[in-house]
Amino acid sequence: MYIRNQLRMLHNYFKYLNITPVEERWGMYVTTVGYSKIEPHDNYPNEVHPQSHHLTWNRGRILNDYYIVFISKGKGVYGSALTQPTDITAGTSFFLYPGVWHRYKPDPKSGWEEYWVGFNGYYIEQLMANGFFDKENPFVSLGLNKDILIMFRNLIESVQASLTGYPQHIAGITMQILGLINNIAHHHQEYSNDPVGKLISKAKFIIQESFEDALDMEKLAAELPMGYSSFRKAFKQITGESPNQYHLNLRLARAKDLLTSTVLNINEIAYQTGFDSVFYFSKLFKKKNGVSPNVFRKNQNQLY
């Protein structure tokens, strides 16, 4: 399978954040972010969390904040004081509400991969009171949506970097996630009546999730399943790029982000974006952007 851990360098990761009066005045703040990969027959959870967030299926738990949980792979079950036990499959997101008892767990035969963000604030209270989301139906099927992966990745990386002003930045990303979920829940989903479009959307998700790895596009097409010639033609018709070019452009775009937002050296950035040779990486980067990675970084630094 080509759906691999997108957060290759992080493995399981979570962080609980301290909230200051500044974040409270902002009107929305993030309390925690995380990613966890649960292998089949693993204990769940497989990391030690604060006692206030400890979760077992038998006891369940009650939290003080709002949460979004997104299952990107695998399956499991969710239940709450307001919801009967419900099967959860890959591509499903669900909300946790403050003061509402709940519990969830992966299927021991499949495990799952989960992303989450906890948040609160007076603006969020107002948003939730206005009926955009339903606590008695907390599930939204996002499908294999590459945008949600990008947003969760940005959340985690922003918390890791902890640059000045990052609490407001991650609050903004969380609002983007809420906007995406609301849009999908209430409006027509992309390619909902187009079988080929659905397969290409799935392919984009797989490429996004494993863009740091080498991908055999013919095997990916067979996994969808599609013939490679038809897959390549449909992919280019929908995206404007061949699958391999789409994959390469994701890696180069990621490299630009790392050059701008981190102090990683060029060798490290080449490795993190899946290039075995820094020379090859620099050559492709210059062809795409007109300047070498070093010059691009210097130009960006001069802007600030």
Side-chain angles (χ1 to χ4, degrees), residues 151-164:
M151 291 176 192
F152 271 111
R153 180 180 187 132
N154 288 343
L155 269 179
I156 291 173
E157 291 179 345
S158 295
V159 171
Q160 284 189 305
S162 297
L163 299 177
T164 302

Side-chain angles (χ1 to χ4, degrees), residues 31-96:
T31 57
T32 178
V33 300
Y35 163 85
S36 183
K37 181 176 183 179
I38 311 299
E39 298 286 359
H41 307 294
D42 265 3
N43 291 327
Y44 183 74
N46 59 2
E47 301 282 351
V48 178
H49 293 265
Q51 185 61 37
S52 60
H53 288 72
H54 185 62
L55 174 63
T56 67
W57 180 255
N58 290 335
R59 294 184 59 186
R61 68 179 177 188
I62 296 174
L63 298 174
N64 295 323
D65 301 309
Y66 296 91
Y67 280 72
I68 297 167
V69 182
F70 174 64
I71 306 303
S72 65
K73 187 178 180 181
K75 61 182 180 179
V77 61
Y78 167 95
S80 77
L82 303 175
T83 309
Q84 292 297 317
T86 302
D87 290 336
I88 301 295
T89 57
T92 300
S93 69
F94 56 88
F95 284 83
L96 309 177

Side-chain angles (χ1 to χ4, degrees), residues 94-219:
F94 56 88
F95 284 83
L96 309 177
Y97 289 86
V100 176
W101 178 87
H102 63 266
R103 60 183 182 175
Y104 53 91
K105 64 179 180 179
D107 185 311
K109 293 182 181 179
S110 68
W112 71 17
E113 295 182 29
E114 60 179 358
Y115 298 80
W116 71 87
V117 56
F119 52 96
N120 215 323
Y122 65 79
Y123 178 78
I124 291 299
E125 293 285 358
Q126 179 180 348
L127 184 68
M128 294 298 176
N130 286 339
F132 289 102
F133 305 99
D134 181 3
K135 66 170 59 177
E136 295 187 4
N137 184 24
F139 313 104
V140 178
S141 178
L142 302 178
L144 300 181
N145 188 297
K146 67 181 179 61
D147 294 328
I148 199 77
L149 288 176
I150 293 170
M151 291 176 192
F152 271 111
R153 180 180 187 132
N154 288 343
L155 269 179
I156 291 173
E157 291 179 345
S158 295
V159 171
Q160 284 189 305
S162 297
L163 299 177
T164 302
Y166 86 92
Q168 287 71 49
H169 179 62
I170 61 177
I173 297 172
T174 303
M175 279 302 302
Q176 286 184 288
I177 293 174
L178 285 166
L180 174 66
I181 291 173
N182 180 71
N183 183 52
I184 291 176
H186 294 95
H187 300 92
H188 179 70
Q189 295 190 37
E190 184 181 26
Y191 308 124
S192 60
N193 297 313
D194 179 2
V196 173
K198 282 185 178 180
L199 292 178
I200 299 306
S201 183
K202 178 180 178 181
K204 288 163 64 179
F205 180 91
I206 293 171
I207 294 171
Q208 178 65 50
E209 193 169 42
S210 53
F211 76 88
E212 295 161 333
D213 302 319
L215 285 177
D216 184 326
M217 295 300 175
E218 292 191 22
K219 290 183 178 179

